[in-house]
């Protein structure tokens, strides 16, 4: 896709305007936004789009012609990917409710995913996995209880997902 007209440039500007709105919405929802991965995505997609030149030649680096069309094409494509990333960050939440049987399954999956990816759960799992060998009988019992709790949570999640899946079928 080589940009040749004002219409194509307007589409690129519109995509990036939507990205700014989505970033603002993510900030309002208190979602964590990591800037470096987004910048790397934009940079590398634009860089690799320079391999397919088109349009006005701006300058040359060795045998590579850097063209206006290639830069605009890279910015457009990276804008779409960034927009999809922020859309998913904004919409994917355990608070979204889908109707129906399939919806209840999807709701439960999102809920479990959010619980598993929460910092408290991850910190507790790391603490359990990183503990050193217990010295006393009491410490051994405490460690066994923590491991049982973690495995019990995972087993309960598995059973709940199987139960919901059976309800859908």
């Amino acid at each position: 896709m080589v940009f040749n007209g004002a219409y194509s440039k307007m589409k690129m500007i519109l995509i990036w305007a939507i990205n700014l709105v989505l970033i603002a919405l993510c900030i309002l929802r208190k979602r964590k936004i990591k800037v470096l991965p987004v910048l790397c995505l934009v940079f590398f997609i634009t860089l690799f789009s320079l391999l397919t030149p088109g349009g006005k030649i701006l300058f040359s680096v060795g045998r590579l012609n850097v063209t206006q069309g290639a830069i605009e094409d890279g910015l457009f494509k990276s804008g779409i990917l960034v927009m999809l990333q922020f859309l998913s960050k904004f919409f994917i939440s355990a608070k979204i409710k889908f109707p129906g049987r399939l919806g209840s399954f999807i709701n439960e999956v999102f809920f479990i995913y959010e619980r598993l990816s929460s910092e408290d759960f991850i910190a507790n799992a790391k603490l359990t996995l990183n503990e050193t060998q217990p010295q006393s009988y009491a410490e051994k019992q405490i460690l066994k209880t923590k491991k049982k709790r973690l495995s019990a949570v995972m087993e309960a999640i598995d059973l709940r997902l199987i139960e919901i899946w059976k309800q859908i079928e």
Side-chain angles (χ1 to χ4, degrees):
M1 170 192 324
V2 176
F3 285 83
N4 290 327
Y7 177 71
S8 298
K9 290 179 184 176
M10 283 304 286
K11 286 189 343 186
M12 181 181 61
I13 292 170
L14 179 65
I15 291 291
W16 284 102
I18 291 170
N19 279 331
L20 290 176
V21 170
L22 286 171
I23 290 170
L25 290 173
C26 287
I27 290 171
L28 288 175
R29 262 202 160 166
K30 298 178 182 170
R31 301 281 190 215
K32 192 182 292 185
I33 296 176
K34 297 179 182 175
V35 177
L36 186 63
V38 172
L39 292 177
C40 287
L41 181 73
V42 172
F43 175 75
F44 284 111
I45 289 176
T46 305
L47 180 73
F48 286 115
S49 74
L50 294 176
L51 298 176
T52 56
K56 179 182 173 187
I57 297 175
L58 300 175
F59 58 92
S60 294
V61 179
R63 296 173 69 188
L64 178 68
N65 292 330
V66 177
T67 63
Q68 182 179 354
I71 291 174
E72 290 173 351
D73 189 35
L75 288 173
F76 180 76
K77 289 177 180 177
S78 63
I80 289 175
L81 281 174
V82 169
M83 182 179 66
L84 292 173
Q85 177 185 1
F86 285 121
L87 268 174
S88 67
K89 190 176 285 283
F90 177 71
F91 281 114
I92 301 301
S93 169
K95 297 172 186 148
I96 294 176
K97 301 298 180 208
F98 295 101
R101 290 167 129 188
L102 181 60
S104 66
F105 176 72
I106 293 171
N107 291 334
E108 192 76 20
V109 168
F110 283 152
F111 175 75
I112 291 170
Y113 175 75
E114 193 162 301
R115 292 285 303 269
L116 289 175
S117 61
S118 71
E119 292 178 13
D120 294 336
F121 183 82
I122 293 171
N124 288 338
K126 284 182 180 178
L127 180 67
T128 301
L129 295 174
N130 291 335
E131 284 186 350
T132 59
Q133 291 294 325
Q135 302 297 323
S136 67
Y137 177 77
E139 288 177 346
K140 286 181 184 179
Q141 293 303 323
I142 291 171
L143 184 60
K144 281 183 184 179
T145 306
K146 285 185 179 179
K147 286 183 180 179
K148 284 181 184 176
R149 241 187 283 151
L150 183 62
S151 65
V153 168
M154 297 304 289
E155 187 177 332
I157 290 170
D158 288 344
L159 292 174
R160 182 70 179 134
L161 286 174
I162 291 169
E163 178 183 317
I164 292 171
W165 184 255
K166 287 180 180 178
Q167 289 176 357
I168 292 172
E169 292 179 330

